[in-house]
Amino acid sequence: MKMEKELGCQFYFGNIEGANIKKLDFNNFECEIKEFKTLKMFHNFNWIAGSTFLSFKPNSIYILTGDPYCLSNWVILFLNRFLLKKTYLWTHGWYGNEGFVKRIIKKIFFNLSDGIFLYGNYAKGLMIKEGFDENKLHVIYNSLDYERQLKIRENLKVSNIYKDHFKNEYPTLIFIGRLTKVKKLEQILELQKKIRNKGIEVNVVFVGEGEEKENLENLAISNGLKNIWFYGPCYKEEVIGELIYNATACVSPGNVGLTAIHVLMYGTPIVTHNNYPYQMPEFEAIEDGVTGIFFKEDNIDDMVNKMEILLLVINKGKIKSENCYKKIDNYFNPNYQVKIFKEVML
């Protein structure tokens, strides 16, 4: 909405039939909104039907998704170069795990644009090493519903939500998101088991639903683990805020994604893995020892050791809510993103 109000944007969306993704509520927009049907082509390639005609809109600057598998994006980039129109890509950019062919495709695709908006400095650094012009790379980070969440945060306070449920005062570890295999959530239960063997008790809360729920429940039973709360899905942001704010830490053994922004917004540090090429760009919101801590990917013993360190530094006040707040308030919000857009395009 901020882009609409401050940049005068018009939005066009591809619509994939049968996609398991909740759509935006277009009623919240005042500007022109159009949907184009996304057609599946060969392999992973697709085409957004009707989108190429947008190149002929007068007096326009274009921001496209930086997806090289979207063939209509290629056409728009070529047309706009011919028509001398500015076109920018908004993209993850580089992960660091690209093979030879993908690197070539990405280089050609990205270099057709006038500039690239990236979600993080990690990708920017990799792209500079690949020979991209640093002046065309603009880090814009990512954001959630910042203004609404800020109002909720201002009213949050310590509650007994976990003490009342678990009947104890142990530290509480939370995961929030889809309970899917790629998130490696069984490692949280392995962490709970191993850290208990070292004399440290923790509660575990899973907020969300997904295909891994039954497996996690069975794993907890087979290992004799207690103090686990499968809270289920929650869509009330005020409740989510309370759950996150009152947790000791968030644990995300797989890629962390937008969960990082969500939990830091409410002042809770994050534990996740340090294999950056296989992370989502939001991992950059985690500053080791300041807003969270990293462990070696798939190394449970290292996760346990890092969790011990995290609990210690939290108790000593070295990791505190204010650190988390600053990271989001300074960078990972729509205000910062619009500021960068204006500096680059206007």
Side-chain angles (χ1 to χ4, degrees):
M1 314 311 172
K2 201 167 187 66
M3 290 178 66
E4 174 190 359
K5 292 177 181 178
E6 298 200 25
L7 299 174
C9 291
Q10 296 175 329
F11 296 93
Y12 303 88
F13 297 93
N15 186 4
I16 303 175
E17 290 185 3
N20 187 25
I21 301 174
K22 186 179 179 181
K23 292 175 62 174
L24 284 172
D25 184 356
F26 295 153
N27 293 321
N28 293 325
F29 292 84
E30 296 179 6
C31 65
E32 179 181 0
I33 299 288
K34 285 188 178 179
E35 284 189 284
F36 297 115
K37 186 175 182 180
T38 300
L39 306 174
K40 291 185 178 180
M41 309 293 282
F42 55 92
H43 193 48
N44 292 323
F45 291 92
N46 61 76
W47 179 275
I48 300 178
S51 63
T52 55
F53 293 104
L54 296 173
S55 285
F56 300 101
K57 289 180 70 69
N59 304 318
S60 296
I61 298 174
Y62 298 78
I63 303 175
L64 305 177
T65 60
D67 180 9
Y69 289 102
C70 182
L71 297 178
S72 50
N73 278 357
W74 285 83
V75 175
I76 293 173
L77 284 164
F78 278 115
L79 280 172
N80 286 358
R81 285 179 73 87
F82 177 76
L83 296 169
L84 303 179
K85 292 186 173 184
K86 294 283 187 180
T87 311
Y88 297 87
L89 297 174
W90 192 351
T91 173
H92 289 187
W94 227 257
Y95 286 95
N97 58 7
E98 289 83 359
F100 177 76
V101 174
K102 184 174 281 190
R103 284 168 59 201
I104 297 299
I105 292 172
K106 278 189 166 185
K107 281 187 176 182
I108 297 171
F109 180 71
F110 291 150
N111 278 315
L112 289 171
S113 72
D114 293 284
I116 303 169
F117 294 110
L118 298 166
Y119 288 114
N121 287 292
Y122 173 74
K124 180 179 179 178
L126 292 176
M127 293 179 76
I128 291 171
K129 290 180 181 178
E130 290 288 336
F132 287 90
D133 182 357
E134 182 176 358
N135 294 320
K136 293 176 66 175
L137 305 176
H138 313 286
V139 176
I140 201 166
Y141 300 108
N142 206 347
S143 65
L144 291 171
D145 194 353
Y146 176 74
E147 299 297 338
R148 181 187 175 203
Q149 291 173 340
L150 183 60
K151 290 178 182 177
I152 292 170
R153 189 178 82 188
E154 290 170 348
N155 292 306
L156 284 173
K157 57 185 178 181
V158 175
S159 74
N160 290 328
I161 188 168
Y162 295 127
K163 182 179 178 181
D164 290 344
H165 180 83
F166 290 110
K167 308 303 181 187
N168 64 52
E169 297 186 8
Y170 302 151
T172 297
L173 310 181
I174 190 172
F175 172 83
I176 181 166
R178 292 282 299 165
L179 308 185
T180 58
K181 198 169 187 64
V182 71
K183 294 297 183 180
K184 303 179 181 180
L185 301 176
E186 70 283 353
Q187 292 185 11
I188 298 177
L189 299 184
E190 294 180 55
L191 165 67
Q192 185 188 30
K193 180 180 178 180
K194 287 203 168 191
I195 205 167
R196 182 185 64 184
N197 292 338
K198 299 184 78 169
I200 302 172
E201 295 282 358
V202 295
N203 303 317
V204 172
V205 180
F206 293 103
V207 181
E209 196 61 79
E211 64 269 19
E212 280 295 290
K213 180 181 178 181
E214 185 176 349
N215 292 335
L216 293 169
E217 289 174 330
N218 291 335
L219 185 62
I221 293 170
S222 64
N223 282 280
L225 297 174
K226 299 179 181 179
N227 299 328
I228 299 172
W229 187 6
F230 288 94
Y231 188 92
C234 181
Y235 303 104
K236 294 182 178 179
E237 191 63 29
E238 292 81 3
V239 177
I240 292 171
E242 181 187 14
L243 289 166
I244 294 173
Y245 181 79
N246 284 280
T248 308
C250 170
V251 184
S252 184
N255 57 60
V256 67
L258 285 166
T259 297
I261 297 176
H262 207 172
V263 299
L264 290 178
M265 181 68 195
Y266 294 126
T268 299
I270 311 169
V271 180
T272 191
H273 73 78
N274 64 356
N275 190 358
Y276 303 150
Y278 294 90
Q279 274 286 10
M280 301 302 284
E282 293 80 12
F283 82 86
E284 287 189 37
I286 305 168
E287 189 175 347
D288 205 24
V290 179
T291 62
I293 205 159
F294 292 101
F295 64 88
K296 296 176 183 177
E297 186 180 29
D298 298 329
N299 188 323
I300 305 301
D301 289 332
D302 190 53
M303 191 196 298
V304 170
N305 291 335
K306 295 298 172 59
M307 180 55 70
E308 286 187 272
I309 294 171
L310 182 69
L311 295 175
L312 180 63
V313 295
I314 289 174
N315 288 335
K316 289 187 175 182
K318 293 183 178 180
I319 288 185
K320 50 189 177 181
S321 296
E322 286 75 12
N323 298 347
C324 304
Y325 297 158
K326 285 179 183 178
K327 188 65 68 170
I328 304 304
D329 295 344
N330 290 341
Y331 300 107
F332 292 83
N333 63 76
N335 301 321
Y336 183 85
Q337 292 179 302
V338 168
K339 171 177 171 286
I340 300 298
F341 279 134
K342 288 181 177 179
E343 290 176 356
V344 173
M345 296 190 303
L346 302 182

